[in-house]
Amino acid sequence: MKKVITALALILMISCGNEPGNSQDNTLLRKEIDEGWALLFNGKSLKGWVLPAPGNWEVEDSSITCSENGIMGPHGMIWTSGKYGDFILKCEFKIASASNSGIFFRIGDTNSPVQTGLEMQIIDSFASPVTGGRATHSCGALYDIVAPSHNMAKPAGEWNYAVITCKQNIISIALNGDQVISTVDLDLYTEANQNIDGSENKFTLPLKDFARTGHIGFQQNGGKVWFKNIKIKAL
């Protein structure tokens, strides 16, 4: 119990306390350097990222974006060459109208990222929030697992700010300064295709058995999406 409370306190402090700085895009503040943050994208090239289909992803206006439309499966992904376990990931993203994307993390098998990685959903749900049984597919959701507590998505074309925290079995997500996913405990998900509230999910492996270390990736699943200021801190 003490470990869970400590992890919760850390997640709340991190998720609610971070906001985009006023520094130049894709650079680290001195404070961030001192705290152990690292850049995953330099704003100029895709160095450090793996493209399964060269040419699909590119740098545009100091952001990572996908130059193709509606690519499904691994070819619609880009991921880090490195693997990460316990960390805080923060980045900014924006989408075009009606676009669909996602931030993947702890991808265990890059040949099957949608089955072996967790995803924060990115979708144009500002004007039309996803509700009911599909709420786990709304912007800020831990995709197909937990819906965001409230709709914090900004309109298409505006930059959003996401913070994803992974600490052992505990996952949390903050979107635009508000925590929308709080302390999801993967160890409680003991059955395949089953969430702890009784709803079904897409995963053929119980979430408790997911890799606790893996790649970070971005998905393009229709429309266009941009990512910048991608920073990570090991925990």
Side-chain angles (χ1 to χ4, degrees):
M1 176 64 72
K2 182 178 180 181
K3 183 172 72 173
V4 173
I5 292 173
T6 302
L8 173 58
L10 175 65
I11 288 167
L12 288 170
M13 177 182 68
I14 290 167
S15 298
C16 296
N18 281 327
E19 293 183 3
N22 295 321
S23 64
Q24 181 180 352
D25 281 344
N26 307 306
T27 61
L28 293 171
L29 298 168
R30 169 52 60 183
K31 182 176 183 290
E32 291 175 316
I33 295 172
D34 293 342
E35 291 174 348
W37 289 91
L39 275 178
L40 293 182
F41 171 56
N42 62 16
K44 300 176 182 178
S45 74
L46 295 177
K47 181 179 179 180
W49 293 82
V50 178
L51 290 77
N56 287 348
W57 292 85
E58 62 187 5
V59 177
E60 176 184 285
D61 297 330
S62 300
S63 304
I64 295 178
T65 189
C66 192
S67 56
E68 298 291 341
N69 187 32
I71 305 168
M72 298 295 290
H75 285 181
M77 298 282 297
I78 186 173
W79 56 79
T80 57
S81 55
K83 294 182 178 182
Y84 304 89
D86 292 347
F87 58 82
I88 313 161
L89 174 71
K90 57 185 181 182
C91 73
E92 293 178 65
F93 68 88
K94 69 176 179 179
I95 55 174
S97 178
S99 295
N100 188 337
S101 179
I103 300 173
F104 281 69
F105 49 101
R106 287 183 174 174
I107 299 171
D109 180 0
T110 54
N111 291 313
S112 183
V114 299
Q115 276 294 326
T116 67
L118 300 170
E119 176 190 1
M120 190 204 88
Q121 170 77 323
I122 293 175
I123 197 166
D124 182 12
S125 58
F126 170 78
S128 301
V130 185
T131 59
R134 299 279 294 177
T136 57
H137 295 185
S138 58
C139 193
L142 187 58
Y143 185 83
D144 221 33
I145 302 170
V146 178
S149 57
H150 50 297
N151 182 20
M152 286 299 296
K154 292 186 178 181
E158 293 188 18
W159 287 103
N160 295 266
Y161 176 59
V163 180
I164 298 171
T165 304
C166 299
K167 182 65 174 177
Q168 300 174 7
N169 53 307
I170 303 296
I171 309 295
S172 77
I173 296 174
L175 184 61
N176 295 320
D178 277 19
Q179 186 156 348
V180 294
I181 300 290
S182 176
T183 58
V184 175
D185 187 345
L186 299 179
D187 285 348
L188 300 179
Y189 292 75
T190 58
E191 297 182 40
N193 303 120
Q194 191 78 41
N195 292 319
I196 58 175
D197 64 358
S199 61
E200 293 184 358
N201 65 43
K202 65 176 182 175
F203 301 105
T204 57
L205 188 70
L207 296 181
K208 73 175 183 61
D209 295 331
F210 268 44
R212 297 290 165 91
T213 299
H215 302 276
I216 291 167
F218 298 139
Q219 180 194 52
Q220 199 275 1
N221 197 19
K224 194 163 183 177
V225 61
W226 295 261
F227 299 92
K228 67 177 182 178
N229 295 327
I230 308 158
K231 303 175 183 183
I232 195 164
K233 178 182 178 180
L235 295 176

